[in-house]
Amino acid sequence: MDIPLIVQRFLVHLHESEKKHSTISMYKHDLHAFFRWLNQQHPHIAPETLPEGRECYEEYFTYLKEKNLSEANLRRVASHLNGLLRFYDLIHQIGVLKATTKKQRELTDNDFISKNDACLLLESVISHKNLTDTQLKIHEYIASRNQSILILMLHYGLTINEVVSLNIKDINFSQNTLTITTTKGKRILDLSSDDKKIIYNYFSAIPSLFKPKDYTDDPLFLSFHPQKMVYWYDYNLNKPRRISLIGVKRMIEKEVQRSGLQAKVRSTQFRNSCILNKLLEGYSNEQIIYYFGLSSRHALYRYKRYLKSS
């Protein structure tokens, strides 16, 4: 489905209002998605017209909630639809759209991991502290893998989903770059030489039988079989088995506990701290949105409010 003319005119208005290109692109994405849904669910509504009843919009938000869209994304979609309605003088007739009544919780100190705690966790993950004899044998195989995963989350703010989805072709050891691919697109991050070496050492130590093949969709981080003391291999797919989402979550829980950290530490704190650090380093909104693959600058408001209050 092509973008309706009524949306195109609105986008031209945004451009003339000197809105940023990234902002206009997000409006275009959200409004196009709305009209695609509208055309499928309500084909009787002419494609070049806006629904004049509030019911259609509320039905759309119900559809988005069923797709588990985040609160932040729901608010963004509502904001973009409200902008379109204002442009065509329909707000007074339909009313301001509210996708959710929930307010974003303000960030507190507990939403971040301190630099000292992050260093302690990274030191602990490769140590032999509090390990049984059996765990020591397993540790020999998985310590560098776990250290690499934590580095990508603590230093670069990758989500667990992004870590799990990484393929061997996504890392360029010669250029020190990592490509993150999500439904929102691709982004390329520069790795420090030290961090690259740690990940390369993990990769190099994988036995040849299980080693991911270069430049392929083979997973970067592999699942380990503690009973057999080998990496899992999927013979049906003819490739090593990818570490699971649950596997990474459990690894983090165990390593946090083993490190002796007193504070309750969660993976979201790693990403929060990375975003905060980029703001403190003076990165622009657009740079941070790209770096972390955020949907819009709205996602940064809580971090900026936290900085102002702290």
Side-chain angles (χ1 to χ4, degrees), residues 124-275:
S124 174
V125 74
I126 55 173
S127 75
H128 293 166
K129 182 172 63 174
N130 301 327
L131 292 175
T132 65
D133 290 343
T134 302
Q135 289 171 334
L136 277 171
K137 293 176 184 177
I138 299 171
H139 185 262
E140 180 183 342
Y141 291 94
I142 64 173
S144 60
R145 181 203 66 181
N146 294 350
Q147 182 189 24
S148 298
I149 290 173
L150 287 174
I151 279 173
L152 291 179
M153 299 182 74
L154 285 164
H155 291 177
Y156 304 92
L158 268 66
T159 65
I160 293 181
N161 276 319
E162 288 171 345
V163 166
V164 167
S165 300
L166 286 173
N167 297 322
I168 191 62
K169 70 178 183 181
D170 295 327
I171 188 164
N172 189 319
F173 288 115
S174 61
Q175 296 184 11
N176 292 9
T177 59
L178 185 71
T179 301
I180 313 297
T181 304
T182 68
T183 55
K184 299 171 186 175
K186 291 185 178 181
R187 62 190 199 273
I188 299 176
L189 307 183
D190 293 322
L191 300 174
S192 75
S193 57
D194 288 341
D195 290 343
K196 186 280 299 275
K197 286 176 185 175
I198 290 171
I199 300 171
Y200 183 74
N201 288 340
Y202 149 69
F203 171 73
S204 301
I206 299 172
S208 57
L209 179 62
F210 306 98
K211 194 185 293 290
K213 299 180 184 67
D214 289 338
Y215 314 113
T216 68
D217 288 330
D218 284 5
L220 173 60
F221 294 117
L222 311 183
S223 181
F224 189 76
H225 196 312
Q227 284 76 37
K228 296 183 179 180
M229 292 290 185
V230 294
Y231 287 102
W232 282 93
Y233 196 86
D234 192 326
Y235 290 96
N236 291 325
L237 297 176
N238 194 29
K239 63 172 62 177
R241 184 177 296 182
R242 189 181 304 275
I243 192 171
S244 68
L245 198 70
I246 296 298
V248 174
K249 287 182 178 179
R250 286 177 179 167
M251 180 275 287
I252 294 172
E253 290 172 0
K254 289 177 181 177
E255 291 302 335
V256 166
Q257 184 178 18
R258 191 164 73 88
S259 70
L261 289 175
Q262 297 302 309
K264 184 178 180 182
V265 176
R266 304 174 303 279
S267 61
T268 52
Q269 292 171 309
F270 305 162
R271 183 172 172 88
N272 286 343
S273 297
C274 285
I275 294 174

Side-chain angles (χ1 to χ4, degrees), residues 18-51:
E18 299 184 347
K19 295 287 186 183
K20 292 182 179 179
H21 176 73
S22 57
T23 301
I24 296 174
S25 295
M26 190 53 66
Y27 268 94
K28 180 179 178 181
H29 172 272
D30 288 342
L31 296 177
H32 188 210
F34 169 70
F35 276 94
R36 189 166 57 241
W37 170 87
L38 189 66
N39 185 53
Q40 292 172 350
Q41 299 299 317
H42 298 279
H44 62 282
I45 297 178
E48 289 298 337
T49 59
L50 278 161

Side-chain angles (χ1 to χ4, degrees), residues 100-117:
T100 175
T101 56
K102 292 183 180 178
K103 289 186 177 181
Q104 265 191 322
R105 179 180 62 81
E106 293 299 323
L107 294 168
T108 69
D109 293 347
N110 293 329
D111 290 303
F112 304 93
I113 183 171
S114 70
K115 187 175 181 180
N116 288 339
D117 284 353

Side-chain angles (χ1 to χ4, degrees), residues 276-288:
L276 197 67
N277 288 337
K278 292 301 180 188
L279 283 169
L280 291 169
E281 289 170 16
Y283 276 55
S284 69
N285 289 347
E286 300 306 316
Q287 287 174 315
I288 296 176

